[in-house]
Amino acid sequence: MGAKVVIISTAVATFCVGLLVGGLIGHFASKAAADSSNISSDDSANHEANNNKPNPVQDRINSQILFDAISAASIRKVIKLYSSQPHLAGSERNNELADIIETTWKEFGFETKRDIFNVLLSYPGGPTRRNQAFIWSGNSVEVQTQKEETELVPNADADKIVPPFNAYAKAGDVKRNKAFYVNYCRAEDFVYITGDHGLNLTDSIVICRYGKIFRGNKVRLAQDYGAAAVILYNDPQDSVIGVNATYNETFPNSWYLPPSGVERGSTSISKGDPLTPGFPAKEYAIRMTVEQARKEKMIPGIPTQPVSYEEIKPFFEALSGEEVDLDTWKGGLDKITYRFGGVLQAGKEFQIKNYNTDERRNITNVFGIIRGKVDPDRYILFGNHRDAWMNGAVDPTSGTGVMMESAKAFSALLKTGWRPRRTLIFCSWDAEEYGIIGSIEWLDEVRVLIADRALTYLNCDAGVMGTETLVASASPLLWKLIYDTSKLVNAPGGKSLYQQWLDVTGNKTDPESKPLIGDLGSGSDHTGFFHMHGVTSMESYYLYDKSKTKLATWYPLYHTSYETFQAVEDFLDPDFLYHKSIATFFTEITRNLSDSVIVPFVVTDYAVRLRHVYEELNSAVRPKLLLKNQSLAESLDYLSHSIDKFAAEAIKFDEKVASIFDRDPSWLDIRTVNDQLLNLERAFLYPLGILDRKYIKHVVFAPAANNLYGSSAFPGIHDSLYEIDTSDEPAWDKVKDELTKAVYSVESATKAITVDIIV
């Protein structure tokens, strides 16, 4: 996953539309579909003969066929096979898995395609040139970090192990006598240490702990503050909860990160191939040089090295300076005093040797396709990435197992003679871990087709990272479909997914409370679809209860060599029943989207979310705008008025949808409404991009500038006001631009759904 931090909505509300959308909602309980003996031949015949009216009875039958075809044992088999060896992007094993997936989809009766791109990837040095960090005392090495993680359980062959490294970090040898600890290396951490404490980080080595934000943002900020190199580590406070951070109580004896565990990961800020931004990485494309990409800070211009928490201790012991004065800066290293740093004690020096190589290699996306029978030029896409830093049993292979099981279920439905109304495309993406490369390169290549035809993208990266609750992040258009589907699927233990989800995330004092749905951040393959191309998207997975288990990373063994099938089976989901539940959930959503006569989007839910994020924006930025002038603050009133207009039009549109079957709609009537729904999300795009990020075009929901994992509502406005000086007129011009984009996008969205289609 290049994983992703989900910014959870604090309130979710929906309007009652009064329509049983797509022949699903409210029509069957989760335990069983209607007895097929109650279905007359006339019902089935009518379903085939009249494609302009829903047939709830047939939909129930189709859903049950899918539900019955999903097997925990089958998912287990896929995860075990696919995670048996490391499969880094560009590796022989990852290419073998592409072949296996394509062959499997052909056996399912799918049409298959593959697309190959030649992209820049990054690899660690070979066996004699391992990346390491050192502590020097005089002319001798006092400490050197491990070349490979300690083998705690039998793993890969020695020649297949991917040693700890950060992809795209610049190769180099940096040796300094000055080093600083900057907590999580967030923007506010750098402001605190350099501003509040007046420390100068120029030409130093910076220590960052993993978590909270994307690692690439950490390195980018360290470089901006003048650091010469970065050491990253997982603090036990963030990776070991409820047990001692010792080998006896961590993996392989629990799912927690052992003292020798090291998180790998990319440090690229670029999304897609770093050398061909905006173009597919094909032979005809003009390419930047690696040096140009580093100069523009798309990839780092400094070396980094990740280390384990047992190895970071002597580096902390060598730090000088004051003890940190905030509890939020103190981690869980045993018997360690957390200091800000400065010139190292006793004349010591830190050194980072990075032997990374930058290599252009081919990557392969694989597609399994079921052609639609009514609207074959409208696409529902369901994707998961294939590549992993090591074995990747959770990220991404738990999600791969979910997607492949869903495909298997649809193959069973195909055997009944069924075909979806719209074209269904299963996607196995390559090189996601490096910077969402495979999916974005494909989108760059098929941009025109996606702009006209893609209705929805569903993403399942790591399908099961815990077993306490469903988590979903989505466009508000999908809220109702997500809720209704979660009521139809049972979680292990007997509750519905919805009830389990509500128990963990709902407001227990509000009887009208619903489970929390987050806005979409970045960090996985929905990014290109949603933030760049305006395709209505969602992602979902199972997770632990974050209110009880406060990990700073996604799960303790994230991106380490210990993320193996054994870890999944022993500690995460022994019977693979949570995998089965999330697979069933995704499969039913996919069926509904691909086969409903009217696309099951609810526009008024978007209006609800727009109003909510506006109120948050208004509270946060109006005081800053008033510091400049009153008229600038009044721009927020224009935005509020535009949202009111959108909400009024949304009610009319949903009412139109609710009554469409009161008459005898033609195919054109249905197509017109569905195309308005297809284009609504795209109306929130600004073609030239948001502030200083021309490839991120969604004005309302986009990754935060200083954390690509997270989502920020109206991020251009927030980012333009970050640390602004009231006398900086060019900066205030950017603020005005972002305010204008916000109003313009909402006005455009209102036009997209207007009931009166005449200009």
Side-chain angles (χ1 to χ4, degrees):
M1 186 184 308
K4 52 247 169 222
V5 173
V6 177
I7 305 300
I8 298 296
S9 309
T10 59
V12 176
T14 57
F15 284 74
C16 294
V17 180
L19 175 65
L20 301 181
V21 182
L24 170 65
I25 301 167
H27 280 289
F28 65 102
S30 59
K31 293 183 178 179
D35 188 335
S36 61
S37 64
N38 294 326
I39 310 304
S40 71
S41 59
D42 290 342
D43 289 328
S44 297
N46 182 63
H47 183 64
E48 295 301 322
N50 189 347
N51 291 312
N52 296 328
K53 289 186 178 180
N55 188 331
V57 173
Q58 189 64 49
D59 288 342
R60 293 200 302 270
I61 295 173
N62 292 340
S63 294
Q64 195 61 39
I65 291 170
L66 293 170
F67 283 30
D68 290 344
I70 294 172
S71 161
S74 177
I75 298 172
R76 178 188 184 279
K77 182 178 178 181
V78 168
I79 295 175
K80 184 175 183 179
L81 172 64
Y82 286 39
S83 65
S84 61
Q85 299 177 37
H87 45 285
L88 194 62
S91 69
E92 180 181 353
R93 178 58 179 171
N94 202 45
N95 294 332
E96 289 173 355
L97 291 180
D99 295 338
I100 291 171
I101 288 172
E102 183 173 30
T103 298
T104 302
W105 283 342
K106 286 180 178 178
E107 292 171 352
F108 288 166
F110 299 174
E111 178 184 345
T112 63
K113 292 183 180 295
R114 56 169 62 202
D115 209 349
I116 298 173
F117 299 93
N118 185 255
V119 303
L120 183 73
L121 299 179
S122 173
Y123 298 95
T128 62
R129 292 163 60 84
R130 292 297 198 218
N131 297 354
Q132 289 178 277
F134 302 84
I135 299 177
W136 286 79
S137 181
N139 295 322
S140 62
V141 173
E142 184 176 274
V143 173
Q144 60 179 319
T145 58
Q146 61 189 355
K147 296 181 179 181
E148 298 164 2
E149 286 164 290
T150 303
E151 187 173 306
L152 301 178
V153 296
N155 204 328
D157 296 334
D159 62 342
K160 295 180 180 177
I161 288 175
V162 181
F165 85 115
N166 291 128
Y168 298 115
K170 186 177 182 180
D173 185 343
V174 174
K175 193 176 184 182
R176 297 290 186 273
N177 71 344
K178 186 171 68 168
F180 295 91
Y181 165 61
V182 196
N183 201 20
Y184 294 104
C185 284
R186 298 167 295 186
E188 58 265 37
D189 294 330
F190 281 101
V191 169
Y192 185 69
I193 193 172
T194 61
D196 293 23
H197 285 269
L199 298 176
N200 185 349
L201 310 184
T202 302
D203 204 34
S204 67
I205 291 178
V206 163
I207 297 174
C208 298
R209 55 170 159 165
Y210 274 123
K212 304 296 186 182
I213 67 170
F214 172 55
R215 72 188 71 79
N217 292 106
K218 298 173 187 284
V219 178
R220 168 73 177 270
L221 286 164
Q223 183 177 341
D224 288 346
Y225 276 88
V230 177
I231 300 173
L232 298 116
Y233 81 102
N234 291 93
D235 197 281
Q237 183 185 72
D238 304 317
S239 305
V240 184
I241 308 296
V243 300
N244 292 320
T246 65
Y247 283 104
N248 288 335
E249 298 190 36
T250 57
F251 185 81
N253 300 306
S254 76
W255 79 319
Y256 288 113
L257 184 70
S260 56
V262 184
E263 177 184 322
R264 297 150 181 78
S266 176
T267 55
S268 173
I269 295 295
S270 172
K271 295 306 173 189
D273 175 36
L275 304 186
T276 59
F279 297 102
K282 297 290 188 177
E283 289 307 315
Y284 67 81
I286 186 171
R287 295 174 191 262
M288 301 169 63
T289 65
V290 175
E291 290 72 24
Q292 286 174 318
R294 295 198 190 281
K295 184 176 181 180
E296 295 190 16
K297 298 182 181 179
M298 305 304 289
I299 53 179
I302 59 176
T304 75
Q305 180 58 20
V307 305
S308 68
Y309 63 80
E310 71 176 352
E311 296 174 307
I312 199 66
K313 287 184 178 182
F315 290 85
F316 270 103
E317 289 169 344
L319 289 180
S320 61
E322 298 178 1
E323 182 178 353
V324 298
D325 52 356
L326 295 177
D327 288 341
T328 54
W329 278 58
K330 296 175 182 178
L333 291 169
D334 187 40
K335 299 178 181 178
I336 290 296
T337 299
Y338 288 77
R339 300 183 182 278
F340 288 116
V343 175
L344 296 175
Q345 298 181 32
K348 295 182 180 181
E349 294 176 292
F350 290 173
Q351 182 184 30
I352 292 178
K353 286 188 177 182
N354 184 301
Y355 295 105
N356 281 4
T357 60
D358 303 309
E359 302 178 27
R360 279 177 52 183
R361 291 195 187 181
N362 287 344
I363 62 169
T364 303
N365 298 324
V366 184
F367 304 94
I369 304 164
I370 305 174
R371 297 279 175 178
K373 65 181 178 182
V374 178
D375 294 316
D377 61 337
R378 294 293 179 262
Y379 306 152
I380 306 299
L381 303 104
F382 180 6
N384 159 267
H385 74 90
R386 187 177 67 254
D387 62 300
W389 292 113
M390 271 287 290
N391 299 62
V394 176
D395 179 11
T397 313
S398 66
T400 307
V402 166
M403 181 185 69
M404 296 302 288
E405 190 66 11
S406 180
K408 179 172 75 70
F410 278 101
S411 75
L413 188 55
L414 278 177
K415 291 175 183 176
T416 69
W418 171 90
R419 280 176 55 213
R421 182 183 184 91
R422 303 174 188 89
T423 294
L424 174 55
I425 306 175
F426 291 94
C427 314
S428 175
W429 306 116
D430 204 349
E432 185 271 354
E433 292 291 4
Y434 277 86
I436 321 176
I437 294 178
S439 58
I440 288 180
E441 293 311 301
W442 183 74
L443 286 167
D444 285 343
E445 183 175 36
V446 300
R447 174 180 55 83
V448 175
L449 293 178
I450 290 299
D452 289 341
R453 302 181 183 182
L455 183 67
T456 312
Y457 176 70
L458 310 175
N459 194 60
C460 185
D461 190 319
V464 177
M465 295 180 283
T467 56
E468 292 187 88
T469 183
L470 183 73
V471 172
S473 300
S475 164
L477 291 174
L478 290 167
W479 282 359
K480 192 171 191 302
L481 176 61
I482 291 169
Y483 286 141
D484 290 330
T485 306
S486 69
K487 294 175 182 177
L488 303 172
V489 179
N490 280 344
K495 291 182 179 179
S496 68
L497 285 183
Y498 181 90
Q499 189 59 53
Q500 185 191 57
W501 185 17
L502 179 65
D503 289 346
V504 174
T505 68
N507 182 347
K508 294 177 175 55
T509 64
D510 180 5
E512 301 299 319
S513 175
K514 289 183 171 64
L516 298 179
I517 296 179
D519 301 325
L520 285 164
S522 185
S524 194
D525 289 296
H526 60 272
T527 297
F529 286 92
F530 187 71
H531 300 301
M532 297 180 179
H533 294 276
V535 177
T536 299
S537 300
M538 68 164 283
E539 67 167 349
S540 189
Y541 44 88
Y542 248 111
L543 193 65
Y544 47 87
D545 185 347
K546 291 183 75 71
S547 68
K548 298 177 182 176
T549 306
K550 298 183 181 297
L551 297 170
T553 53
W554 282 101
Y555 49 91
L557 303 180
Y558 175 65
H559 287 186
T560 70
S561 65
Y562 309 123
E563 189 189 319
T564 61
F565 178 79
Q566 176 184 337
V568 173
E569 187 166 50
D570 287 356
F571 305 114
L572 197 54
D573 189 12
D575 297 318
F576 292 83
L577 295 178
Y578 292 91
H579 286 82
K580 179 180 178 181
S581 290
I582 195 77
T584 306
F585 173 70
F586 264 109
T587 299
E588 178 58 16
I589 286 178
T590 303
R591 183 209 61 79
N592 202 326
L593 287 164
S594 64
D595 215 22
S596 293
V597 177
I598 296 293
V599 175
F601 293 172
V602 178
V603 180
T604 45
D605 283 345
Y606 220 121
V608 170
R609 187 64 184 141
L610 282 174
R611 173 51 58 188
H612 182 80
V613 298
Y614 169 79
E615 297 301 337
E616 292 179 336
L617 174 77
N618 185 51
S619 296
V621 308
R622 186 177 289 271
K624 296 180 182 179
L625 296 176
L626 287 172
L627 290 175
K628 183 63 177 173
N629 58 57
Q630 177 68 33
S631 63
L632 193 57
E634 289 172 355
S635 297
L636 289 174
D637 299 327
Y638 288 115
L639 179 57
S640 180
H641 179 60
S642 295
I643 292 171
D644 286 341
K645 290 195 327 187
F646 177 84
E649 202 64 40
I651 292 171
K652 293 178 185 178
F653 186 90
D654 282 348
E655 288 173 346
K656 175 184 177 181
V657 171
S659 63
I660 195 168
F661 296 111
D662 293 345
R663 52 192 185 277
D664 189 17
S666 67
W667 175 85
L668 182 58
D669 294 329
I670 300 296
R671 178 81 165 199
T672 299
V673 168
N674 284 339
D675 280 358
Q676 285 182 281
L677 291 169
L678 179 148
N679 288 313
L680 175 56
E681 199 79 62
R682 291 160 172 80
F684 291 106
L685 301 180
Y686 184 70
L688 302 181
I690 62 175
L691 179 73
D692 298 330
R693 291 187 285 168
K694 60 184 178 181
Y695 299 113
I696 300 295
K697 303 180 189 300
H698 203 297
V699 173
V700 181
F701 303 115
N706 288 318
N707 178 17
L708 296 185
Y709 284 163
S711 177
S712 176
F714 296 110
I717 298 173
H718 282 288
D719 293 346
S720 66
L721 287 166
Y722 182 71
E723 292 191 329
I724 195 168
D725 189 318
T726 54
S727 63
D728 188 347
E729 292 303 328
W732 282 102
D733 286 341
K734 290 184 178 181
V735 175
K736 296 173 187 176
D737 285 345
E738 297 307 314
L739 286 164
T740 301
K741 291 175 190 176
V743 177
Y744 173 73
S745 69
V746 177
E747 292 281 343
S748 297
T750 303
K751 293 177 175 63
I753 58 169
T754 183
V755 172
D756 181 4
I757 62 171
I758 304 302
V759 175

